[in-house]
Amino acid sequence: MMKLGWIGTGVMGAAMVTNLMAAGYEMTVYNRTKSKTDALVAAGATWADTPAKVAANSDVVFTMVGFPKDVEQVYFGDDGIFSGLAKGKTAIDMTTSQPKLAAKIADYAAKHGMQALDAPVSGGDIGAKNATLTVMVGGDEATYQAMLPLFEVMGHKVNHFGAAGTGQHAKMANQIMIAGTMTGLTEMLLYTKAAGLDPEKVLATLSSGGADNWSMDNYVPRILKDDYTPGFFSRHFLKDLRIALSEADSMGLDLVATAQAKRLYEVMVDVKGLGDQGTQGLINIY
Protein backbone atom coordinates (compact mmCIF):
# COMPACT_ATOMS: atom_id res chain seq x y z
CA MET A 1 0.00 0.00 0.00
CA MET A 2 1.03 3.59 -0.56
CA LYS A 3 2.84 5.35 2.28
CA LEU A 4 0.89 8.46 3.23
CA GLY A 5 1.79 11.74 4.88
CA TRP A 6 -0.52 14.31 6.44
CA ILE A 7 0.20 17.93 7.36
CA GLY A 8 -2.45 19.69 9.45
CA THR A 9 -4.17 17.54 12.06
CA GLY A 10 -6.89 19.88 13.26
CA VAL A 11 -10.56 19.15 13.96
CA MET A 12 -11.18 17.53 10.58
CA GLY A 13 -7.68 16.46 9.58
CA ALA A 14 -7.15 14.22 12.60
CA ALA A 15 -10.40 12.35 11.90
CA MET A 16 -9.48 11.88 8.23
CA VAL A 17 -6.05 10.54 9.20
CA THR A 18 -7.71 8.14 11.62
CA ASN A 19 -9.93 6.77 8.85
CA LEU A 20 -6.97 6.28 6.49
CA MET A 21 -4.99 4.49 9.20
CA ALA A 22 -8.00 2.29 9.96
CA ALA A 23 -7.97 1.32 6.27
CA GLY A 24 -4.42 0.04 6.73
CA TYR A 25 -2.31 2.90 5.39
CA GLU A 26 1.03 3.74 6.97
CA MET A 27 0.99 7.41 8.01
CA THR A 28 3.54 10.12 8.77
CA VAL A 29 2.16 13.30 10.36
CA TYR A 30 3.15 16.88 11.08
CA ASN A 31 1.33 19.76 12.74
CA ARG A 32 2.60 23.13 13.91
CA THR A 33 1.29 22.29 17.38
CA LYS A 34 2.86 18.89 17.92
CA SER A 35 0.49 17.89 20.73
CA LYS A 36 -2.37 17.75 18.21
CA THR A 37 -0.70 14.67 16.70
CA ASP A 38 -0.20 12.84 20.02
CA ALA A 39 -3.30 10.64 19.73
CA LEU A 40 -2.43 9.75 16.12
CA VAL A 41 1.16 8.83 17.03
CA ALA A 42 -0.17 6.73 19.92
CA ALA A 43 -2.39 4.95 17.37
CA GLY A 44 0.58 4.14 15.12
CA ALA A 45 1.38 7.21 13.04
CA THR A 46 4.98 8.43 12.72
CA TRP A 47 5.85 12.01 13.68
CA ALA A 48 8.09 14.08 11.41
CA ASP A 49 9.30 17.50 12.51
CA THR A 50 9.02 19.31 9.15
CA PRO A 51 6.72 19.15 6.11
CA ALA A 52 9.78 18.26 4.01
CA LYS A 53 10.41 15.16 6.14
CA VAL A 54 6.77 14.13 5.86
CA ALA A 55 7.03 14.45 2.07
CA ALA A 56 10.31 12.54 1.92
CA ASN A 57 8.69 9.62 3.76
CA SER A 58 5.51 9.54 1.66
CA ASP A 59 4.20 8.42 -1.71
CA VAL A 60 1.26 10.76 -1.25
CA VAL A 61 1.25 13.76 1.09
CA PHE A 62 -1.97 15.52 2.10
CA THR A 63 -2.27 19.03 3.45
CA MET A 64 -5.16 20.54 5.40
CA VAL A 65 -4.14 23.80 7.00
CA GLY A 66 -5.88 27.07 7.79
CA PHE A 67 -5.29 29.83 5.27
CA PRO A 68 -3.78 30.31 1.79
CA LYS A 69 -0.64 31.82 3.37
CA ASP A 70 -0.24 28.59 5.35
CA VAL A 71 -0.62 26.52 2.18
CA GLU A 72 2.00 28.65 0.43
CA GLN A 73 4.42 28.23 3.33
CA VAL A 74 3.86 24.49 3.67
CA TYR A 75 4.58 23.87 -0.02
CA PHE A 76 7.16 26.48 -0.98
CA GLY A 77 8.76 27.55 2.31
CA ASP A 78 12.01 26.40 3.87
CA ASP A 79 11.59 22.73 4.80
CA GLY A 80 8.37 22.74 2.76
CA ILE A 81 6.85 19.83 0.88
CA PHE A 82 8.56 20.60 -2.42
CA SER A 83 11.97 20.41 -0.79
CA GLY A 84 11.28 16.81 0.26
CA LEU A 85 8.85 15.28 -2.25
CA ALA A 86 10.48 12.95 -4.77
CA LYS A 87 9.74 12.78 -8.48
CA GLY A 88 6.72 10.63 -9.27
CA LYS A 89 5.08 11.33 -5.91
CA THR A 90 1.80 13.19 -5.30
CA ALA A 91 0.70 16.12 -3.16
CA ILE A 92 -2.99 16.72 -2.40
CA ASP A 93 -4.14 19.96 -0.81
CA MET A 94 -7.45 19.55 0.99
CA THR A 95 -7.41 23.05 2.45
CA THR A 96 -10.10 25.38 1.18
CA SER A 97 -7.84 27.86 -0.59
CA GLN A 98 -7.45 30.08 -3.63
CA PRO A 99 -7.90 28.51 -7.09
CA LYS A 100 -4.87 30.42 -8.39
CA LEU A 101 -2.70 28.96 -5.61
CA ALA A 102 -3.89 25.46 -6.48
CA ALA A 103 -2.86 26.11 -10.08
CA LYS A 104 0.54 27.41 -8.93
CA ILE A 105 1.16 24.27 -6.86
CA ALA A 106 0.11 21.97 -9.71
CA ASP A 107 2.26 23.85 -12.21
CA TYR A 108 5.35 23.61 -9.98
CA ALA A 109 4.71 19.92 -9.36
CA ALA A 110 4.34 19.15 -13.07
CA LYS A 111 7.55 21.00 -13.94
CA HIS A 112 9.46 18.94 -11.37
CA GLY A 113 8.09 15.50 -12.20
CA MET A 114 5.49 15.34 -9.43
CA GLN A 115 1.70 15.38 -9.34
CA ALA A 116 -0.64 17.68 -7.40
CA LEU A 117 -4.38 17.85 -6.84
CA ASP A 118 -6.62 20.35 -5.05
CA ALA A 119 -9.32 18.48 -3.14
CA PRO A 120 -11.25 20.61 -0.62
CA VAL A 121 -14.07 18.92 1.26
CA SER A 122 -17.47 19.65 2.76
CA GLY A 123 -19.14 17.93 5.68
CA GLY A 124 -17.49 19.38 8.78
CA ASP A 125 -16.27 17.44 11.79
CA ILE A 126 -19.17 14.99 11.56
CA GLY A 127 -18.43 14.14 7.94
CA ALA A 128 -14.73 13.77 8.70
CA LYS A 129 -15.38 11.38 11.60
CA ASN A 130 -17.97 9.33 9.73
CA ALA A 131 -16.07 9.30 6.40
CA THR A 132 -19.05 10.89 4.68
CA LEU A 133 -17.31 13.98 3.31
CA THR A 134 -17.98 15.43 -0.11
CA VAL A 135 -14.66 15.78 -1.96
CA MET A 136 -14.23 18.28 -4.80
CA VAL A 137 -11.14 17.61 -6.90
CA GLY A 138 -9.19 19.61 -9.46
CA GLY A 139 -6.12 18.50 -11.39
CA ASP A 140 -4.86 15.86 -13.78
CA GLU A 141 -7.45 13.18 -14.61
CA ALA A 142 -5.03 10.24 -14.41
CA THR A 143 -3.75 11.40 -11.02
CA TYR A 144 -7.32 11.78 -9.81
CA GLN A 145 -8.15 8.22 -10.84
CA ALA A 146 -5.03 6.91 -9.08
CA MET A 147 -5.95 8.75 -5.87
CA LEU A 148 -9.66 7.94 -5.95
CA PRO A 149 -9.36 4.94 -3.57
CA LEU A 150 -7.88 7.27 -0.94
CA PHE A 151 -10.65 9.83 -1.37
CA GLU A 152 -13.24 7.08 -1.05
CA VAL A 153 -11.87 6.14 2.37
CA MET A 154 -12.63 9.68 3.57
CA GLY A 155 -15.80 10.57 1.70
CA HIS A 156 -18.96 9.17 0.17
CA LYS A 157 -19.22 11.62 -2.72
CA VAL A 158 -16.14 12.40 -4.83
CA ASN A 159 -16.22 14.47 -8.01
CA HIS A 160 -13.49 15.60 -10.38
CA PHE A 161 -14.17 19.02 -11.93
CA GLY A 162 -11.28 19.51 -14.31
CA ALA A 163 -7.94 21.30 -14.31
CA ALA A 164 -6.05 22.48 -11.23
CA GLY A 165 -8.07 24.99 -9.24
CA THR A 166 -11.50 23.70 -10.26
CA GLY A 167 -11.86 21.77 -7.03
CA GLN A 168 -11.41 25.06 -5.19
CA HIS A 169 -13.97 26.76 -7.43
CA ALA A 170 -16.47 23.99 -6.62
CA LYS A 171 -15.80 24.53 -2.91
CA MET A 172 -16.46 28.24 -3.34
CA ALA A 173 -19.87 27.37 -4.83
CA ASN A 174 -20.45 25.17 -1.78
CA GLN A 175 -19.53 27.98 0.63
CA ILE A 176 -21.77 30.46 -1.18
CA MET A 177 -24.68 28.07 -0.65
CA ILE A 178 -23.79 27.53 3.02
CA ALA A 179 -23.60 31.29 3.60
CA GLY A 180 -27.31 31.43 2.83
CA THR A 181 -28.22 28.44 4.98
CA MET A 182 -26.28 29.77 8.00
CA THR A 183 -27.96 33.18 7.92
CA GLY A 184 -31.30 31.49 7.26
CA LEU A 185 -31.11 29.07 10.17
CA THR A 186 -29.92 31.84 12.51
CA GLU A 187 -32.79 34.16 11.67
CA MET A 188 -35.25 31.26 11.70
CA LEU A 189 -34.29 30.58 15.33
CA LEU A 190 -34.65 34.25 16.26
CA TYR A 191 -38.10 34.36 14.68
CA THR A 192 -39.06 31.10 16.40
CA LYS A 193 -38.10 32.52 19.80
CA ALA A 194 -39.86 35.84 19.23
CA ALA A 195 -43.05 34.04 18.17
CA GLY A 196 -43.00 31.87 21.29
CA LEU A 197 -42.70 28.58 19.41
CA ASP A 198 -41.04 25.41 20.69
CA PRO A 199 -37.69 25.35 18.80
CA GLU A 200 -37.39 21.56 19.01
CA LYS A 201 -40.81 21.17 17.42
CA VAL A 202 -39.97 23.76 14.76
CA LEU A 203 -36.74 21.91 13.93
CA ALA A 204 -38.56 18.57 13.65
CA THR A 205 -41.15 20.17 11.37
CA LEU A 206 -38.73 22.02 9.09
CA SER A 207 -36.48 18.97 8.81
CA SER A 208 -39.33 17.07 7.16
CA GLY A 209 -40.20 19.77 4.64
CA GLY A 210 -38.84 22.02 1.96
CA ALA A 211 -36.68 24.01 4.40
CA ASP A 212 -34.54 21.00 5.30
CA ASN A 213 -30.80 21.40 4.88
CA TRP A 214 -27.57 19.92 6.28
CA SER A 215 -26.58 23.01 8.28
CA MET A 216 -29.91 23.21 10.03
CA ASP A 217 -29.98 19.50 10.85
CA ASN A 218 -26.47 19.52 12.29
CA TYR A 219 -26.07 22.98 13.83
CA VAL A 220 -29.48 23.89 15.26
CA PRO A 221 -29.33 21.04 17.83
CA ARG A 222 -25.94 22.41 18.94
CA ILE A 223 -27.27 25.95 19.24
CA LEU A 224 -30.19 24.74 21.35
CA LYS A 225 -27.62 23.25 23.76
CA ASP A 226 -25.51 26.43 23.71
CA ASP A 227 -22.78 24.37 22.05
CA TYR A 228 -20.57 26.56 19.89
CA THR A 229 -17.60 24.21 19.61
CA PRO A 230 -16.28 24.25 16.06
CA GLY A 231 -17.23 21.63 13.58
CA PHE A 232 -15.81 24.30 11.30
CA PHE A 233 -14.18 27.46 12.64
CA SER A 234 -16.00 30.69 11.86
CA ARG A 235 -12.66 32.39 11.11
CA HIS A 236 -12.03 29.80 8.41
CA PHE A 237 -15.52 30.29 6.99
CA LEU A 238 -14.93 34.03 6.80
CA LYS A 239 -11.70 33.33 4.91
CA ASP A 240 -13.68 31.18 2.47
CA LEU A 241 -16.30 33.86 1.90
CA ARG A 242 -13.59 36.42 1.20
CA ILE A 243 -12.03 34.10 -1.38
CA ALA A 244 -15.42 33.38 -2.97
CA LEU A 245 -16.28 37.07 -3.27
CA SER A 246 -12.85 37.90 -4.67
CA GLU A 247 -13.28 35.20 -7.31
CA ALA A 248 -16.82 36.39 -8.04
CA ASP A 249 -15.56 39.96 -8.45
CA SER A 250 -12.99 38.79 -10.99
CA MET A 251 -15.84 37.18 -12.95
CA GLY A 252 -17.93 40.35 -12.86
CA LEU A 253 -20.47 38.91 -10.41
CA ASP A 254 -22.17 40.87 -7.63
CA LEU A 255 -23.20 38.29 -5.01
CA VAL A 256 -25.26 40.54 -2.74
CA ALA A 257 -26.47 37.93 -0.24
CA THR A 258 -23.02 36.35 0.10
CA ALA A 259 -21.50 39.78 0.68
CA GLN A 260 -24.01 40.37 3.48
CA ALA A 261 -23.13 37.00 5.05
CA LYS A 262 -19.46 37.99 4.90
CA ARG A 263 -20.22 41.25 6.71
CA LEU A 264 -22.04 39.35 9.46
CA TYR A 265 -19.15 36.93 9.91
CA GLU A 266 -16.76 39.89 9.96
CA VAL A 267 -18.70 41.23 12.94
CA MET A 268 -18.50 37.82 14.61
CA VAL A 269 -14.81 37.23 13.93
CA ASP A 270 -13.15 40.64 13.61
CA VAL A 271 -15.32 42.74 15.92
CA LYS A 272 -16.62 40.32 18.56
CA GLY A 273 -13.55 38.06 18.58
CA LEU A 274 -15.56 34.84 18.21
CA GLY A 275 -13.48 33.34 15.40
CA ASP A 276 -12.76 30.13 17.32
CA GLN A 277 -16.45 29.34 17.65
CA GLY A 278 -18.12 27.15 15.08
CA THR A 279 -20.08 28.77 12.28
CA GLN A 280 -23.26 28.23 14.31
CA GLY A 281 -21.96 30.93 16.69
CA LEU A 282 -23.28 33.52 14.25
CA ILE A 283 -26.39 33.72 16.42
CA ASN A 284 -24.29 35.27 19.19
CA ILE A 285 -23.93 38.59 17.34
CA TYR A 286 -27.66 39.19 16.97
Side-chain angles (χ1 to χ4, degrees), residues 68-230:
K69 62 181 175 61
D70 302 316
V71 175
E72 183 101 30
Q73 179 65 29
V74 127
Y75 278 89
F76 296 102
D78 294 339
D79 290 323
I81 288 168
F82 283 139
S83 65
L85 196 65
K87 288 183 178 181
K89 307 303 184 183
T90 302
I92 302 175
D93 185 29
M94 305 192 82
T95 313
T96 300
S97 184
Q98 297 163 325
K100 65 182 179 182
L101 180 52
K104 177 181 175 180
I105 290 168
D107 182 61
Y108 183 96
K111 288 178 178 176
H112 292 82
M114 311 163 190
Q115 295 81 43
L117 299 173
D118 49 291
V121 299
S122 182
D125 59 334
I126 295 169
K129 290 174 184 175
N130 295 337
T132 56
L133 293 168
T134 298
V135 188
M136 294 156 266
V137 188
D140 175 69
E141 170 74 25
T143 305
Y144 164 72
Q145 292 295 339
M147 297 298 112
L148 185 56
L150 298 176
F151 293 135
E152 289 176 337
V153 171
M154 298 179 280
H156 72 148
K157 185 71 172 178
V158 186
N159 280 309
H160 179 243
F161 286 90
T166 57
Q168 296 294 353
H169 278 301
K171 182 61 184 288
M172 290 304 109
N174 183 84
Q175 301 306 71
I176 289 165
M177 183 72 242
I178 289 177
T181 64
M182 292 308 299
T183 56
L185 74 85
T186 299
E187 296 188 358
M188 174 274 292
L189 282 172
L190 294 169
Y191 187 94
T192 294
K193 181 179 179 180
L197 303 177
D198 179 345
E200 297 280 2
K201 190 174 290 185
V202 170
L203 175 62
T205 301
L206 298 187
S207 294
S208 63
D212 189 31
N213 64 81
W214 188 97
S215 296
M216 183 180 71
D217 292 343
N218 286 280
Y219 290 137
V220 169
R222 297 189 191 190
I223 293 171
L224 296 181
K225 296 175 183 176
D226 289 323
D227 177 6
Y228 302 106
T229 55

Side-chain angles (χ1 to χ4, degrees), residues 1-7 17 20 25-29 51-63 75 81 84-94 114-119 143-151 154:
M1 298 179 74
M2 292 180 285
K3 294 170 64 177
L4 306 182
W6 195 285
I7 297 165
V17 170
L20 287 165
Y25 290 99
E26 181 181 339
M27 183 72 67
T28 302
V29 295
K53 290 180 180 178
V54 174
N57 198 43
S58 306
D59 298 310
V60 181
V61 59
F62 293 89
T63 51
Y75 278 89
I81 288 168
L85 196 65
K87 288 183 178 181
K89 307 303 184 183
T90 302
I92 302 175
D93 185 29
M94 305 192 82
M114 311 163 190
Q115 295 81 43
L117 299 173
D118 49 291
T143 305
Y144 164 72
Q145 292 295 339
M147 297 298 112
L148 185 56
L150 298 176
F151 293 135
M154 298 179 280

